[in-house]
Amino acid sequence: MNVPNPEDPSGGTGPGATHQRRGIYLLPNLFTTASLFSGFFAIVQGMNGHFELAAQAIFIAMVLDGLDGRVARLTHTQSAFGAEYDSLSDMVSFGAAPSLVMYDWALRGMGKLGWLAAFVYCAGAALRLARFNTQLGVADKRWFTGLPSPSAAALLAGMVWVLHSDYQLDGARVAWLAWVITLFAGLSMVSNIRFYSFKDLNFRRSVPFWAALLILLLFVVVSLDQSRILWGFFLIYAVSGYVLWGARQWQKRHSRRGTSSAEPPKDASS
């Protein structure tokens, strides 16, 4: 019987083992766990037909997901465990939860087309998160490649929140619209379209007084009609990547034409 070495938490089974036990940081992982709980809560509420609560839970998960990384950086508690845990939590909150809530609300009656659209979204979220993790040290931080999974989740959750709660629409009446938005969100996550990340904004520097008033006004406007304004914002954001892509393509085409017209004519005698 092997007696564990008290100085070797791995049990001392390996020769010369010096591995030390590592704990996990509690504070940032509490936010990640809360985000995971919100995603799971959304799935349960969607299964029970409480779609407004399900949609709101997904938005709450987005807020918590944005806080855990910032808390980790501010408290210097980043870890590889936290990064992996955050990705798994995102898969539940922004991959499985929105697709299942949308399926229960609108896509169930479409049969195979319905659950295939929900699966395309769920698979797109998984691929998007995997690609993001592999490009952490390589990609330009100012841009996301593909629609971020929280924004894609907001497209689906916002639609359920607005149409079900504000307009009292049954999901079956807008099944095809839900199907199109679900596919659009899922495919946008795995596209090469670039979306602005807002990560180059420096919130630590001083700003004019009018900027503080503008932020206050933004909170007031959102509080007046949370569901419509939030969904409208994420709809605009989802379209913005394609608009910028189209503008870049037009600019490239225009610059090529300008270059070709500026070239001197060739001598016919040569």
Side-chain angles (χ1 to χ4, degrees):
M1 180 176 177
N2 294 327
V3 180
N5 185 349
E7 296 181 357
D8 182 12
S10 64
T13 56
T18 59
H19 175 72
Q20 294 182 353
R21 181 180 299 167
R22 292 185 178 181
I24 62 173
Y25 295 109
L26 182 61
L27 186 59
N29 290 307
L30 278 177
F31 284 95
T32 305
T33 303
S35 176
L36 176 62
F37 174 80
S38 296
F40 181 78
F41 181 80
I43 294 173
V44 173
Q45 295 306 311
M47 293 169 61
N48 291 330
H50 303 148
F51 297 111
E52 182 178 1
L53 285 176
Q56 291 172 350
I58 291 173
F59 276 98
I60 292 172
M62 290 176 57
V63 175
L64 294 168
D65 179 66
L67 288 175
D68 60 1
R70 286 169 175 78
V71 168
R73 286 189 292 272
L74 286 173
T75 57
H76 304 290
T77 52
Q78 303 101 315
S79 66
F81 174 86
E84 294 297 329
Y85 186 31
D86 182 65
S87 292
L88 294 173
S89 171
D90 289 352
M91 183 58 214
V92 174
S93 299
F94 309 132
S99 61
L100 291 174
V101 170
M102 181 62 83
Y103 176 77
D104 285 330
W105 180 63
L107 302 178
R108 183 185 295 272
M110 300 181 71
K112 186 181 293 185
L113 284 177
W115 66 258
L116 279 176
F119 172 74
V120 167
Y121 176 89
C122 193
L127 292 170
R128 172 69 179 81
L129 289 167
R131 181 170 65 176
F132 176 78
N133 289 339
T134 58
Q135 293 179 344
L136 278 177
V138 180
D140 187 351
K141 291 185 177 180
R142 296 174 302 170
W143 302 94
F144 290 123
T145 301
L147 184 66
S149 57
S151 300
L155 279 184
L156 272 61
M159 179 181 181
V160 175
W161 191 1
V162 170
L163 298 186
H164 176 76
S165 302
D166 296 343
Y167 292 99
Q168 304 298 317
L169 285 177
D170 184 22
R173 295 176 58 186
V174 291
W176 282 107
L177 177 61
W179 187 81
V180 169
I181 288 185
T182 302
L183 279 182
F184 170 78
L187 296 176
S188 294
M189 284 189 285
V190 295
S191 69
N192 290 323
I193 302 296
R194 297 199 305 171
F195 294 84
Y196 186 54
S197 68
F198 300 98
K199 289 186 177 181
D200 58 343
L201 297 178
N202 188 359
F203 293 100
R204 295 183 180 181
R205 67 181 182 184
S206 60
V207 295
F209 181 72
W210 62 264
L213 290 177
L214 187 62
I215 294 173
L216 177 62
L217 180 62
L218 178 64
F219 278 108
V220 171
V221 170
V222 171
S223 65
L224 291 175
D225 195 346
Q226 301 97 325
S227 57
R228 292 185 182 94
I229 291 175
L230 287 174
W231 190 39
F233 170 79
F234 285 104
L235 278 173
I236 294 171
Y237 181 72
V239 174
S240 68
Y242 292 93
V243 172
L244 292 175
W245 176 83
R248 283 192 294 267
Q249 296 303 312
W250 181 86
Q251 187 177 14
K252 287 180 182 178
R253 235 180 263 119
H254 187 70
S255 61
R256 285 198 204 103
R257 288 176 184 172
T259 304
S260 60
S261 62
E263 290 179 355
K266 294 183 179 179
D267 188 359
S269 61
S270 62

